[in-house]
Amino acid sequence: MNPPVITVKNIRKSYGKLCAVNDLSFEVYPNTCFGTLGPNGAGKTTMMKMLYGRSTRDKGTIDVFGYDPAKQELAIKYLAGVVPQENNLDEELNVFNNLKVYSKFYSLSKAEANHRIEELLNFMDLSEKKYASIKALSGGMQRRLIIARALLNNPKLLILDEPTIGLDPQVRHHIWDKLRQLKKQGTTILLTTHYMEEAFVLCDRVMIMDKGKAVSEGHPKDLLEQNIEKFVLEINSSTAIETFNANNVPSSVRIDKSDESLRLYSDDAQHLRELASQMEGAHYYLRQANLEDLFLKETGRGLNE
């Protein structure tokens, strides 16, 4: 296996009494997609900002392609492209000029910049919007333009912070296809997302964070096989939830119950079918467990303050 292109060891970052990132360590290997999941306030964005020098760490070490972002921020920025959470395009400029301005940061000649912009507009299916105003673009088009902007310098590393947030499924899948193509072309991708399906289909490795720490890490399929039951029975009947008696449930079944939802987990689907049959008139759904189930198991249902 090739050596990692990103190595993070025991980093910590605090804001006053709040510890945003706490003794975090991980590695990212070339030509892979590494995803981070976690509730709001888990430390994902803070960790990302430390990787490309936007924020400084309190302790620990970070190595990105041989550079320390605390000391060699510009060297990393020349090797990386960043897609932030927010749409921060310049609304006073059209699509082409938004990219043209950024090309100057990488000292591209006029001919090089024009050629690269044409390539990226075509790659992100935005060629027909070349001279459109930013306000005339849909949310999905704006996100695709921001990704195109992050690719101007042919980055070895693409850092994406919630790249498909708020987008409809068609646009989201379109962006996923483009990210898969980039990985095939040799780009290493670092991704934070709240979409569990996004992490599952894109990532070679996933790290679940909670309260600044890593609570699970591995290939998505391996994490599911090793850390959660195979099947889940979702009960969507308020009457069934109110009258539910845990004493009737075998010990092999794990119960996850709140005031408004009930989920029963087991490696034996037949056990769950039998339990469902005992709940007359209840609406239920028997399915395979997924990353969202594991996420809730690892981080809990409570909201982070």
Side-chain angles (χ1 to χ4, degrees):
M1 181 181 290
N2 293 324
V5 295
I6 299 175
T7 300
V8 174
K9 291 185 178 179
N10 307 115
I11 61 169
R12 181 184 177 93
K13 177 66 177 180
S14 296
Y15 298 98
K17 295 181 179 180
L18 173 65
C19 183
V21 176
N22 188 2
D23 198 35
L24 186 68
S25 300
F26 63 92
E27 294 178 329
V28 180
Y29 289 86
N31 308 333
T32 65
C33 179
F34 185 95
T36 57
L37 305 173
N40 290 330
K44 306 183 300 298
T45 297
T46 299
M47 177 271 293
M48 288 283 212
K49 289 180 177 179
M50 286 190 282
L51 287 180
Y52 58 88
R54 181 78 178 273
S55 178
T56 57
R57 61 192 182 272
D58 297 335
K59 61 166 287 189
T61 61
I62 300 177
D63 183 295
V64 181
F65 290 100
Y67 298 107
D68 182 343
K71 301 175 182 177
Q72 297 155 305
E73 175 187 353
L74 285 179
I76 292 172
K77 285 185 175 179
Y78 269 98
L79 294 172
V82 179
V83 177
Q85 284 186 25
E86 68 278 2
N87 283 358
N88 58 354
L89 297 164
D90 190 333
E91 294 186 351
E92 301 300 317
L93 302 177
N94 63 25
V95 167
F96 176 82
N97 286 330
N98 262 274
L99 298 181
K100 186 73 171 180
V101 166
Y102 259 72
S103 71
K104 298 181 185 299
F105 296 147
Y106 302 109
S107 302
L108 298 179
S109 69
K110 182 177 180 180
E112 289 174 324
N114 290 343
H115 177 71
R116 184 63 179 151
I117 290 170
E118 293 291 345
E119 279 186 336
L120 290 171
L121 290 177
N122 181 61
F123 178 68
M124 298 305 297
D125 298 311
L126 289 170
S127 294
E128 294 183 357
K129 300 294 182 179
K130 182 176 179 179
Y131 298 114
S133 70
I134 299 304
K135 292 180 180 179
L137 301 182
S138 67
M141 290 177 182
Q142 290 189 33
R143 293 307 283 172
R144 280 150 51 199
L145 180 58
I146 290 172
I147 294 173
R149 188 183 66 186
L151 296 172
L152 274 169
N153 58 330
N154 279 303
K156 292 183 178 180
L157 172 66
L158 182 61
I159 298 174
L160 303 135
D161 196 357
E162 304 285 351
T164 62
I165 189 168
L167 302 182
D168 63 52
Q170 288 87 353
V171 176
R172 195 178 306 142
H173 280 263
H174 184 77
I175 290 176
W176 292 353
D177 287 342
K178 298 303 179 183
L179 295 179
R180 290 189 189 99
Q181 290 180 45
L182 289 170
K183 192 170 70 168
K184 286 181 181 178
Q185 294 167 10
T187 305
T188 301
I189 298 173
L190 189 60
L191 167 76
T192 71
T193 181
H194 281 303
Y195 294 116
M196 303 298 142
E197 183 187 4
E198 183 163 89
F200 190 83
V201 300
L202 290 180
C203 296
D204 302 285
R205 199 164 184 84
V206 166
M207 176 174 65
I208 299 177
M209 293 180 64
D210 190 32
K211 296 179 175 65
K213 292 187 174 184
V215 294
S216 288
E217 185 185 337
H219 188 281
K221 290 182 179 179
D222 293 339
L223 286 177
L224 290 178
E225 290 176 0
Q226 297 167 11
N227 296 285
I228 197 165
E229 300 85 353
K230 292 180 181 179
F231 304 100
V232 56
L233 177 67
E234 290 188 23
I235 310 297
N236 300 311
S237 165
S238 58
T239 301
I241 293 170
E242 289 171 3
T243 60
F244 175 73
N245 186 351
N247 294 326
N248 296 331
V249 177
S251 59
S252 60
V253 176
R254 181 170 62 87
I255 302 169
D256 182 3
K257 183 177 182 293
S258 69
D259 292 339
E260 301 296 333
S261 67
L262 173 63
R263 289 181 175 86
L264 306 178
Y265 293 88
S266 176
D267 287 322
D268 190 332
Q270 185 56 35
H271 273 338
L272 298 180
R273 290 191 187 95
E274 292 172 357
L275 287 169
S277 68
Q278 298 169 17
M279 301 181 186
E280 294 186 11
H283 296 287
Y284 65 86
Y285 177 36
L286 179 61
R287 59 172 174 79
Q288 288 185 313
N290 56 35
L291 267 183
E292 184 166 317
D293 297 302
L294 177 60
F295 179 91
L296 291 172
K297 180 183 177 184
E298 297 285 13
T299 65
R301 289 183 175 274
L303 299 180
N304 283 0
E305 295 183 357

